[in-house]
Amino acid sequence: MIGRYLSAMTEVLRRTAGENIRLVRFLYVDHGGIVRGKSAAAARLAERIESGIGHTRAMMAMSMVDELSPVEGMGPVGEVRIKPDPDTFVTLPYAPGAAAMLADQVSPDGTPWDGCARTFLKQAIAELAAEGYELQASFEPEFSLGRHEGASFTPIDESLCYSATGFHLAHDYTIDLVDALIKQGLEVEHYYPELGHGQQEVPIRHATALRAADNHVLLRETARAIAIRHGLWASFAAKPLPEQAGNGAHLHASLWASGTNAFADPSGQYGLSSLGYHFLAGVLAHLPGLVALSCGTVNSYRRLAPQMWSGAFACYGPDNREAALRICSPIGSAGSVNLELKPVDSTGNPYLTLGAFIYAGIDGIRRSLDPGEPLLVDPAVLDPSERDRLSVFRLPSSLGAALDALEADSYLMSVLGALRSTAYLAVKRSEAAHFSGKDVEYECRKHWLNF
């Protein structure tokens, strides 16, 4: 482990010198879902990789509108270090002379800090490994591309979903975006113009859980940066334009053991193994609280509504795109079966989202939970009594309701830990209070600016 770390560090220093890098950004995602960080000068990079950069604990109590929540242990007293992971080093094609690494926040003595979101995902990965499994995952992000003109966001086009016109109008931007992603080691699976005006989708190929979350951060940063260089603006807000389709970031995942997809069973219903059903059932059981993490802003709940293909009801089904959890049909081989979690968007911290998803699935496996019968129709077309009979219920319709569900979920609160869960609830309740009583225009503007 130490040898690998030293080798990665040596490679970072070699590339920094060879590629004339002058500043290296150490990036993390806070509880507000904002990508933040500090940068180290190349001349002191070796020291800063080892020690991290000093940082106030208070930043993990900062909201998406830069309001500081009163959280014990995250005030003006106390220090953490932003410590980068050398394995994540990338030069930034859109920022000549700059590079970046994803970072953990650690205590001054180098030990993990309980307020760090990336550390939470690492803990979930270790817990899953103790059960004998590794999770492969990918986010399926949508974003809106347009022009930032004063207080207005104007989409670049009014093209139809998947239309060739949409490809033409965004072509120059898209090619630059794909090139920049490839140069950072991200494998682009697909690209297409989506339903909303100016809406784009660029899924990245699945990877191990930590890499998948890191990739999602890099994609967000790259899409925004390339847009700026084109005189455009890219927004990952869930509903930057209230009258248009929302931007999701559906999560696809499967469990693997000894090189085999543990979710795949050709003899199982819809090709899913009994292990897969237990995992699915755990996610369903904790989904009301989990969406407080995966749909992390007030604006998220404009998207998370019935018949918006966002998974607004707690249920599952084979290729049911209105169910919160979809069993995806295999593509290419039976081993490609995976689960898709639909109530996810890019305003949620990807490390918290993926970590909580893993922990929920582990709970389902350990307790051999049964998800009940699959739903083969749009849950919104069922009458309420039929939904009750099938135990299909509406997920929280506001950030406040989702936070209440999270706080009531003793298991998720326990795995998050006292400091992290307290800080997250405080930050998100402050955001709910900030936007309470504000009009839709104000809410959407703050979100398309900051995400």
Side-chain angles (χ1 to χ4, degrees):
M1 193 72 168
I2 294 175
R4 178 182 169 184
Y5 174 82
L6 292 175
S7 176
M9 182 171 169
T10 300
E11 178 64 9
V12 166
L13 298 176
R14 184 193 69 77
R15 289 185 60 187
T16 299
E19 298 173 31
N20 196 27
I21 299 299
R22 293 182 287 284
L23 289 172
V24 181
R25 302 171 188 178
F26 297 1
L27 301 176
Y28 69 93
V29 185
D30 70 7
H31 287 137
I34 303 298
V35 182
R36 301 186 190 260
K38 293 184 175 181
S39 59
R44 297 306 221 187
L45 185 58
E47 297 172 34
R48 293 297 171 252
I49 292 174
E50 189 61 31
S51 68
I53 298 177
H55 200 49
T56 173
R57 294 178 181 177
M59 287 306 298
M60 286 303 277
M62 191 71 82
S63 75
M64 63 157 282
V65 290
D66 269 0
E67 293 176 348
L68 187 62
S69 299
V71 177
E72 186 175 352
M74 291 184 180
V77 179
E79 174 93 348
V80 291
R81 303 287 167 81
I82 310 174
K83 187 171 174 58
D85 180 345
D87 282 333
T88 67
F89 179 87
V90 291
T91 54
L92 301 178
Y94 52 79
M101 288 182 274
L102 284 308
D104 300 319
Q105 294 171 82
V106 302
S107 299
D109 63 3
T111 57
W113 180 53
D114 290 346
C116 175
R118 194 168 185 265
T119 296
F120 173 65
L121 177 53
K122 287 182 174 181
Q123 291 166 345
I125 291 167
E127 195 82 7
L128 186 61
E131 297 291 322
Y133 302 105
E134 175 184 82
L135 186 118
Q136 294 274 327
S138 66
F139 290 91
E140 198 173 68
E142 298 162 335
F143 63 94
S144 299
L145 185 64
R147 291 177 176 82
H148 174 192
E149 299 165 337
S152 299
F153 177 74
T154 305
I156 61 162
D157 64 46
E158 297 182 3
S159 66
L160 303 177
C161 185
Y162 307 145
S163 75
T165 301
F167 281 99
H168 302 326
L169 291 169
H171 176 77
D172 291 349
Y173 168 81
T174 304
I175 292 300
D176 283 353
L177 172 60
V178 171
D179 282 348
L181 292 170
I182 291 171
K183 287 175 181 176
Q184 294 171 85
L186 279 69
E187 185 177 348
V188 176
E189 285 263 60
H190 309 288
Y191 159 75
Y192 30 87
E194 256 283 3
L195 176 61
H197 293 174
Q199 191 177 52
Q200 318 294 313
E201 184 165 330
V202 188
I204 302 300
R205 187 164 177 78
H206 63 82
T208 56
L210 187 63
R211 178 64 190 268
D214 288 342
N215 283 348
H216 191 57
V217 176
L218 292 174
L219 182 138
R220 277 180 55 184
E221 288 297 285
T222 305
R224 172 68 58 87
I226 297 295
I228 290 170
R229 292 175 74 85
H230 277 258
L232 299 171
W233 194 256
S235 175
F236 287 81
K239 272 279 193 176
L241 300 165
E243 73 283 2
Q244 290 296 316
N247 293 319
H250 304 163
L251 173 62
H252 289 259
S254 55
L255 291 191
W256 291 74
S258 303
T260 300
N261 185 349
F263 278 180
D265 181 358
S267 65
Q269 189 179 31
Y270 309 117
L272 188 66
S273 67
S274 58
L275 178 88
Y277 279 105
H278 294 324
F279 189 100
L280 184 159
V283 174
L284 277 179
H286 295 287
L287 196 51
L290 201 162
V291 296
L293 304 167
S294 65
C295 298
T297 58
V298 168
N299 189 245
S300 297
Y301 296 85
R302 293 192 183 277
R303 169 185 169 269
L304 188 58
Q307 300 191 315
M308 289 192 178
W309 292 36
S310 59
F313 288 89
C315 57
Y316 80 98
D319 288 329
N320 186 341
R321 287 174 168 81
E322 276 290 353
L325 275 162
R326 175 169 78 101
I327 301 173
C328 301
S329 294
I331 296 177
S333 71
S336 66
V337 67
N338 66 92
L339 299 177
E340 178 188 34
L341 181 66
K342 297 188 75 67
V344 181
D345 67 57
S346 294
T347 68
N349 183 312
Y351 303 105
L352 296 181
T353 297
L354 197 42
F357 177 80
I358 291 171
Y359 272 117
I362 289 172
D363 189 45
I365 292 171
R366 288 176 176 169
R367 294 199 286 145
S368 299
L369 295 181
D370 181 350
E373 290 301 308
L375 197 65
L376 305 181
V377 299
D378 178 351
V381 306
L382 299 174
D383 63 53
S385 62
E386 184 67 0
R387 285 201 294 267
D388 286 345
R389 186 185 71 80
L390 296 170
S391 298
V392 172
F393 57 89
R394 177 83 160 82
L395 290 172
S397 59
S398 69
L399 179 59
L403 294 171
D404 290 343
L406 175 59
E407 193 166 16
D409 190 322
S410 58
Y411 174 74
L412 287 183
M413 291 290 284
S414 173
V415 296
L416 282 166
L419 179 61
R420 194 179 291 109
S421 60
T422 298
Y424 189 82
L425 289 170
V427 166
K428 291 301 171 182
R429 290 202 189 280
S430 79
E431 290 179 3
H434 178 91
F435 289 105
S436 177
K438 300 290 197 304
D439 62 23
V440 177
E441 182 181 1
Y442 176 85
E443 175 202 311
C444 291
R445 180 174 184 272
K446 284 293 186 183
H447 284 81
W448 62 250
L449 272 174
N450 293 337
F451 291 100

